[in-house]
Amino acid sequence: QKAMKLKEIIKNNNLVPIGFQTATTKLVNMKDIIYISTGSKDLDNLLGGGIETGSLTEIFGEFRTGKTQLCHTLCVMSQRPLDQGGAEGRVIYVDTEGTFRPQRLVAIAERFHMNPEEVLDNVICARAHNSDQQFELLSDAAALMCESRYALIIVDSATALYRTDYSGRAELSERQMHLAQFLRQLTRLAEEFGVAVVLTNQVVANPDGMSFSKDNTKPIGGNIIAHASTTRLKLKKGRGENR
């Protein structure tokens, strides 16, 4: 029912291309892809220019590796002009862990000499408390993007609520199925509205890994989230405060 509601919104606004298209048309459309700067030249170079619009980017790592901080930075960078590494659009932020902090946006905006009030007004935040609510927020996001220009959707984190709502091996199959449906709808929004989608993801210990490895962890979600993501970015702790 939820999927049908989202489908109806997209169909009513003529957002779905019917039938096939030539590879030439696809190539022309790819030239419209915008890369949103992360605020770091080195990271932008690593990503081939920044966060790509029209696709999903997964950012995973342990706690305190800078995942949420990078999301806050992208909230500001996406609003900048195109010639300054931005996408000139608003941001939808789905917060599943209560980590969204407006004061961070103010500090980042001041760093880039932007108006903090305008930056805050252009970020639409919603708090999700369970996986069903997290899925339903995608319908609200589609409605918002029909009314105004948005450049970025952030889900921080994409898997936290699924871990708590579906626990144990008995519910693993159902969890993966619902997670796949959520990611499929996110991919649809990214493609139809041309927005960048950034997901943060947690990691767990990898029992299959080698015990002598320094980083014996793996991202949650397995192949489901791996296949849905166009770009996967791993953050890890370095010495001191380095990431």
Side-chain angles (χ1 to χ4, degrees):
Q1 186 178 0
K2 300 169 190 173
M4 291 298 295
K5 182 179 178 182
L6 180 60
K7 182 178 179 181
E8 184 179 351
I9 292 174
I10 296 176
K11 183 178 180 180
N12 290 341
N13 288 275
N14 298 320
L15 297 170
V16 182
I18 305 300
F20 295 95
Q21 59 182 355
T22 65
T24 302
T25 303
K26 186 71 174 178
L27 179 61
V28 171
N29 292 337
M30 290 185 68
K31 292 180 180 179
D32 294 331
I33 291 176
I34 299 171
Y35 292 90
I36 302 172
S37 173
T38 61
S40 167
K41 291 183 179 179
D42 291 336
L43 185 53
D44 287 345
N45 291 334
L46 182 66
L47 294 171
I51 303 297
E52 180 182 298
T53 57
S55 65
L56 270 65
T57 298
E58 177 196 0
I59 303 172
F60 66 93
E62 295 179 274
F63 66 96
R64 292 194 71 240
T65 52
K67 301 186 299 293
T68 298
Q69 180 64 25
L70 179 54
C71 289
H72 282 72
T73 303
L74 289 170
C75 283
V76 178
M77 298 301 296
S78 63
Q79 300 181 40
R80 304 189 81 193
L82 295 176
D83 59 358
Q84 295 181 22
E88 299 179 359
R90 307 179 78 185
V91 181
I92 293 174
Y93 198 113
V94 178
D95 180 14
T96 68
E97 297 184 281
T99 55
F100 179 74
R101 296 291 182 270
Q103 56 268 34
R104 288 195 192 183
L105 300 183
V106 172
I108 297 169
E110 292 174 345
R111 171 192 168 194
F112 289 101
H113 308 291
M114 298 174 66
N115 186 328
E117 293 183 0
E118 291 182 0
V119 168
L120 291 175
D121 287 341
N122 286 326
V123 179
I124 311 300
C125 180
R127 179 77 162 92
H129 296 279
N130 56 63
S131 57
D132 287 337
Q133 185 181 9
Q134 180 177 326
F135 189 94
E136 289 170 359
L137 285 173
L138 296 187
S139 297
D140 297 335
L144 285 170
M145 289 187 290
C146 288
E147 298 174 356
S148 183
R149 159 67 181 160
Y150 284 82
L152 175 66
I153 299 175
I154 293 175
V155 184
D156 184 23
S157 100
T159 55
L161 296 177
Y162 287 93
R163 292 184 72 185
T164 55
D165 288 357
Y166 303 92
S167 58
R169 289 189 173 274
E171 295 184 320
L172 179 60
S173 176
E174 187 178 2
R175 184 191 80 176
Q176 293 298 88
M177 180 185 69
H178 284 279
L179 180 59
Q181 291 174 349
F182 175 73
L183 294 172
R184 184 167 65 248
Q185 296 301 339
L186 264 181
T187 302
R188 190 73 172 271
L189 291 178
E191 293 176 350
E192 301 302 335
F193 290 97
V195 298
V197 174
V198 172
L199 313 170
T200 67
N201 194 8
Q202 302 170 344
V203 296
V204 292
N206 182 11
D208 299 328
M210 297 183 179
S211 59
F212 55 81
S213 174
K214 289 185 178 180
D215 186 9
N216 194 24
T217 60
K218 63 178 181 179
I220 297 169
N223 293 332
I224 297 293
I225 196 166
H227 292 158
S229 304
T230 301
T231 305
R232 308 189 81 191
L233 179 62
K234 180 180 181 179
L235 300 181
K236 63 180 182 178
K237 299 176 183 177
R239 292 182 178 179
E241 294 297 318
N242 293 328
R243 299 291 183 265

